[in-house]
Each structure stands twice: as C-alpha cells, then as structure tokens.
Amino acid sequence: MSDVPAGDDAEELNVGVAMFVAHRWLEDRALAAVHRAGGTDVTPAQARLLQRVDPRGTRLSELAERALVTKQTAATLVTRLVAAGYLERVADPDDGRARLLRLTDRARDLAVAADGAVGAALDEWTAQIGAGRMRELRRTLARLRPLTDPFGSAAGAGSVASAGDSDQGSPAATSVP
C-alpha cells in the first residue's frame, strides 16, 4: 500500500508541512554530499548561510537577512566560515568602506558536490512522480515564488544546504534552504 494519500485524503495533506519535509530531505542530501566531499566541518546552519552568498559577494547584513538570522548570529557563523577557509572578506568595489563576503574555491567545490546530490535527488522525484508532474511542480512553485520569496531570484535559492534550481551559482544557490 502506498504512503501517498488518495482521493479526499490528498486534500487533507498539510501542504506547508509536506513542502518543508521535502525541502529538509533535499537539504540533508546536499549536506551529506558536502561532508563526503571533505566539508565535514560544515554545519547545517553554516551551509544555509553559504548558499545565500552571491558569486560577486554579499554584505553581512544582507546575508543575515537572507538567512533569516540576526546579524550577530550571521557574524558568528561567518567568523567560523572564514577561519575554516570557506569564505573570504574582500573590499566592496562600490563602497570602499564596506566589506563583502565571498565564497572561496574550497566552498565552490563543495557547492558542486551539493548541487550534484540535489540533482540526483530531483531525478528520484521525477522517477517517482513522472516527468510531466515534475514539470508541473516546478511551474507551480515558480508561480508561487512572487508570493513566497521576499528576496526574489537574487537571494540565493540554492546549494550547500538548499534545494531546487539555482539562479545564483553559490554553494547554496542550488541545494537547499
């Protein structure tokens, strides 16, 4: 017997919980791949932060906002990520007083591993529900994005611990959270 609700039961499914569970499953897959690729010291919280770093760099305050954490929490995570060699602080070319956080080559390598794991996981979903339903799922979620994503396409929907198609190219840009 299937675990999938049928008929009227399908309408009783809590969609928010179902999406959260699916997201966490993808996030777990991405983080496991990061660990297998050598990033054994990357925590889920750090991965969620890494995935929100723009390829050209991101200011700490913006990173905290994107990750939905306080600036103090982001600063603590960033300090550890810089010390571990996953992030670097660079001058902001648009404001000489400001600093940007940018992924290092080491972090970008881990992002490739995470993105591969997410791609494989999404292939499993496609095998489970069919290519047509997967396309429809993507279209439906894309239509909901203007309502659900306060940062739009520029906020790192992606890798080291996020899920889905990336429009950023950072470790978290394609994975999960």
Side-chain angles (χ1 to χ4, degrees):
M1 187 164 230
S2 173
D3 292 357
V4 178
D8 292 336
D9 292 340
E11 292 184 26
E12 296 298 318
L13 178 68
N14 182 316
V15 175
V17 170
M19 288 192 301
F20 174 76
V21 169
H23 170 78
R24 286 303 291 263
W25 185 81
L26 288 172
E27 183 178 64
D28 290 347
R29 292 287 188 98
L31 190 58
V34 165
H35 289 170
R36 283 191 305 276
T40 56
D41 55 340
V42 176
T43 68
Q46 291 170 333
R48 288 182 198 112
L49 201 73
L50 285 170
Q51 75 186 29
R52 288 163 172 85
V53 177
D54 291 326
R56 294 172 51 180
T58 306
R59 290 186 182 186
L60 177 66
S61 58
E62 188 173 1
L63 196 54
E65 183 180 349
R66 289 177 181 180
L68 302 175
V69 298
T70 66
K71 190 173 175 183
Q72 294 79 8
T73 297
T76 299
L77 292 169
V78 163
T79 297
R80 292 180 184 149
L81 289 164
V82 168
Y86 297 112
L87 285 178
E88 61 182 350
R89 290 183 176 96
V90 298
D92 183 338
D94 298 326
D95 181 352
R97 300 167 298 158
R99 306 285 285 169
L100 294 176
L101 297 161
R102 224 176 23 205
L103 300 175
T104 63
D105 289 341
R106 182 178 185 199
R108 284 189 289 277
D109 289 345
L110 295 179
V112 170
D115 291 345
V118 169
L122 294 176
D123 287 346
E124 287 182 53
W125 287 13
T126 301
Q128 179 73 21
I129 67 173
R133 284 188 172 164
M134 190 65 175
R135 277 190 303 278
E136 186 58 33
L137 175 61
R138 287 178 186 272
R139 280 194 289 265
T140 300
L141 292 172
R143 289 186 67 190
L144 288 172
R145 192 165 185 183
L147 295 174
T148 61
D149 185 355
F151 306 106
S153 63
S159 199
V160 163
S162 206
D165 292 279
S166 170
D167 34 22
Q168 286 214 13
S170 65
T174 58
S175 297
V176 182

